[in-house]
Structures are given as structure tokens and as C-alpha cells.
Amino acid sequence: MTLTQLEYIVAVDTYRHFATAAEHCYVTQPTLSMQIQKLEHELGIKIFDRSKQPVVATDIGEEVIIQARKILNESKLLEQIVSDRKGLLQGELKLGIIPTLAPYLLPLFIPQFTKKYPSVKLKISDLTTYQIIEQLRNGRLDAGLLVTPLNDAGIREYPLFYEEMVAYVSRSSAAFKKTYVLPDDLDGSKLWLLEEGHCFRTQIMNLCELKKQSAHSVSFEYEAGSIETLRKMVEINSGVTVLPELATLDLSAKQMSLLRHFKSPAPMREVSLVIHRDFVKRRLIEVLREEILAGLPAKIKKNGAKRVVPVMK
């Protein structure tokens, strides 16, 4: 039994496909299959049921894979201990980030991080909250940047900052005439929302206490795929929406005139760095957290957690 064989069975369990697992392990499929067969022969069991597509583990195979993940984590931890003692910071960090954060947060810290830590390879993917949690569990991601609290026992959350939620209103909206707004000031029938699957959509609905509009209450219904689209819909087609604070940093003077803050205490969304409880690359996470915080605007650093809007329904 070798660590390589354990890596191969974990990869097949993760991707549910021998060819895909081989590709991610940088070997040919015959090589991967042969090594897994050797391990099965040594243990005297079948780890995978190859008659099913996608491939699934047998009952005893599931137990073996659980233990294999633990052994591989301990192996990585040993490597990390040695690297830390040598004062080395290197390796790969696979990071997932939600789309409503990515275009605004990444430019604030990526240039400085890559310059300061050239031996660390960052692999970043835009994913939904659900996808990030799933990929943290199966080892395809090391960490995630998303909105919390998630209340998931298997995920550890490290809050980074609190981002104010602000209204973005068209000039034809009644809210435009107000200095500060209340959630009730946002007409639900004219509120532009992100499509299902975005946690920011859920937060807006929680903030405004919205329920699904009747199909007959509006003549035109559109759910956007990005924050930028929401902004454009307000500017061109009237109505209102809600934006996260980071998305307002590059607005023009004309666009700034459409912003309306909510009455104090302002609603906030909590942005956290999250990891799986078995994560071992502690030092990499520490420096990532430091660089993210260093790149934040001063105002956002001062935001507090007085009124955090729930991210769950």
C-alpha cells in the first residue's frame, strides 16, 4: 500500500470517473486503474463498483476511502510541519469564491499576495456557496471566500470583514427622494434580484422580507446573473436593487447619486474565509487572511456586526 494508491482512490471517489481522476492526478488512466487494482488485490476487496456510472464506492470501499483521506491529511500535515520549521512558504492553495465577491475583492489583494509570496500558487474558482461547501468536503478546494454564517458543523468560519448593503435606486423610484431608506421603501414588484443559487439574493429577500411575487403582479420578470447586471437594469429600466459595499467603490459621480444608505444600523453581510475542519495548510491560510485584510478600504475595516443579514432562508 502506497500514498500514491491512496491518492488515486480518493481522486476516483471525488470525481466519480476514472479518466477524470487520472487527468487530475497527472497520470494515464491505465496507470491509475492498475494501481487501484493492485491495492484492491492487496486488501482482498473491491473498492469501487465499476458497473455503475458514475463510479461509486462499495460499502467497504467507502470505509477505506474515509481512512485514506485521513492518512493523506496526516501526510500533508507532516510536510507542513517541516516547511514551517524551515521557514518556507510554498505550495498550492485552491480557493473558491462566490461571484458577488470575486470581481471586487480579488483585485484588492491578489497583486500584493503574488508579489509577496511567489512560491505559493493560487488556484481560484468562481463558485456558488453550495459548490464551495461540497468541494471543501471532498478535498477539491482548500478554502473558500463567501458570506456567512453557514451554521455547518463540518466547516470552520473565520470572519474577515462586514460589508454594508446599500440601495441602488432609479430616479423614478420613490426611494430616490429619500436621504435614508428602510427596507419597506423598496417596492418588491420593482426590485431587481439575482437568480436562484446566489446567497446575496437570499439576503436581499431576508432584508426586505420578500415573498415570491405573484406571476400576475408584474408585466416583466428578470433575474440577473451578476451584480453588474442588476446595476444596469436600474440605470436603464428603472426600479431598485441592493448592492454590496465593495461593488460601489468604482461608481461614477452620476452613479453615486443613485445610492441610498439604509437607516442606521445599516444592514451588513459577513464575509469569511472558510475551511474544512480537517484542513492542514494553516500557515498559508494565515498569510492569505493577512493580505486580504491589508487590502481592504479603511471604511470597510471599521464596519461592525450590528445588523448582519442572514444568508440562509
Side-chain angles (χ1 to χ4, degrees):
M1 183 186 306
T2 67
L3 290 178
T4 298
Q5 290 171 333
L6 298 184
E7 288 174 354
Y8 290 171
I9 64 171
V10 166
V12 172
D13 182 62
T14 298
Y15 299 104
R16 305 290 180 174
H17 193 275
F18 277 83
T20 305
E23 180 181 347
H24 281 84
C25 291
Y26 304 103
V27 295
T28 63
Q29 183 178 343
T31 297
L32 179 136
S33 296
M34 181 182 67
Q35 287 299 322
I36 291 178
Q37 287 172 357
K38 282 185 177 181
L39 179 59
E40 289 178 322
H41 179 74
E42 180 181 343
L43 296 176
I45 62 169
K46 286 293 182 183
I47 297 174
F48 295 105
D49 183 347
R50 293 165 174 79
S51 67
K52 296 181 179 179
Q53 291 296 329
V55 176
V56 296
T58 61
D59 289 343
I60 192 170
E62 288 181 358
E63 295 184 39
V64 170
I65 291 167
I66 289 172
Q67 193 61 36
R69 290 186 186 276
K70 292 179 180 178
I71 293 170
L72 291 172
N73 276 335
E74 290 298 318
S75 174
K76 291 175 183 176
L77 180 57
L78 181 61
E79 294 174 356
Q80 193 65 47
I81 290 171
V82 173
S83 294
D84 289 347
R85 282 289 185 177
K86 290 180 178 180
L88 301 175
L89 195 64
Q90 57 187 16
E92 181 180 85
L93 190 63
K94 293 172 288 186
L95 182 68
I97 184 170
I98 56 175
T100 57
L101 270 176
Y104 315 111
L105 183 58
L106 294 180
L108 298 181
F109 74 90
I110 291 296
Q112 184 63 22
F113 184 94
T114 54
K115 181 180 179 181
K116 197 170 180 179
Y117 303 104
S119 296
V120 177
K121 182 179 181 181
L122 275 179
K123 294 183 69 175
I124 303 175
S125 302
D126 272 22
L127 300 166
T128 65
T129 296
Y130 174 78
Q131 290 171 324
I132 290 174
I133 293 173
E134 284 300 300
Q135 293 193 29
L136 285 173
R137 287 190 178 123
N138 63 33
R140 294 173 67 179
L141 285 178
D142 295 315
L145 284 168
L146 41 72
V147 176
T148 52
L150 301 174
N151 301 315
D152 189 309
I155 302 296
R156 292 182 179 174
E157 304 172 5
Y158 298 92
L160 294 171
F161 59 91
Y162 296 89
E163 188 180 14
E164 185 178 350
M165 297 170 67
V166 295
Y168 196 63
V169 304
S170 64
R171 295 181 182 276
S172 62
S173 169
F176 179 78
K177 300 175 182 179
K178 299 196 172 188
T179 303
Y180 293 95
V181 296
L182 296 171
D184 289 346
D185 294 326
L186 306 185
D187 185 346
S189 66
K190 297 179 181 178
L191 180 64
W192 299 108
L193 293 169
L194 289 170
E195 61 193 5
E196 292 280 359
H198 290 275
C199 60
F200 194 59
R201 171 195 172 95
T202 305
Q203 283 189 296
I204 294 175
M205 296 187 75
N206 286 338
L207 172 65
C208 300
E209 298 182 350
L210 289 179
K211 292 182 172 61
K212 181 78 174 174
Q213 294 290 327
S214 166
H216 303 291
S217 65
V218 291
S219 59
F220 172 65
E221 186 173 338
Y222 176 76
E223 294 181 346
S226 72
I227 295 285
E228 297 306 302
T229 305
L230 290 181
R231 202 166 70 181
K232 290 292 185 184
M233 294 302 284
V234 169
E235 294 168 359
I236 298 172
N237 294 292
S238 75
V240 298
T241 192
V242 178
L243 302 178
E245 190 171 1
L246 285 176
T248 69
L249 298 182
D250 62 348
L251 296 183
S252 66
K254 183 178 180 180
Q255 291 171 320
M256 288 291 288
S257 70
L258 303 181
L259 282 182
R260 292 295 181 272
H261 293 270
F262 287 95
K263 188 175 181 180
S264 182
M268 300 282 176
R269 70 172 184 166
E270 180 182 82
V271 177
S272 296
L273 187 60
V274 303
I275 60 173
H276 191 267
R277 61 187 176 189
D278 296 328
F279 184 72
V280 298
K281 300 177 184 177
R282 306 289 178 185
R283 181 58 185 148
L284 284 179
I285 284 298
E286 288 175 11
V287 297
L288 178 63
R289 178 180 179 276
E290 291 168 2
E291 294 306 315
I292 292 173
L293 292 177
L296 291 175
K299 193 271 181 185
I300 290 182
K301 290 180 182 180
K302 295 178 182 178
N303 287 342
K306 293 182 179 179
R307 188 185 174 191
V308 175
V309 179
V311 69
M312 300 298 180
K313 293 182 180 178

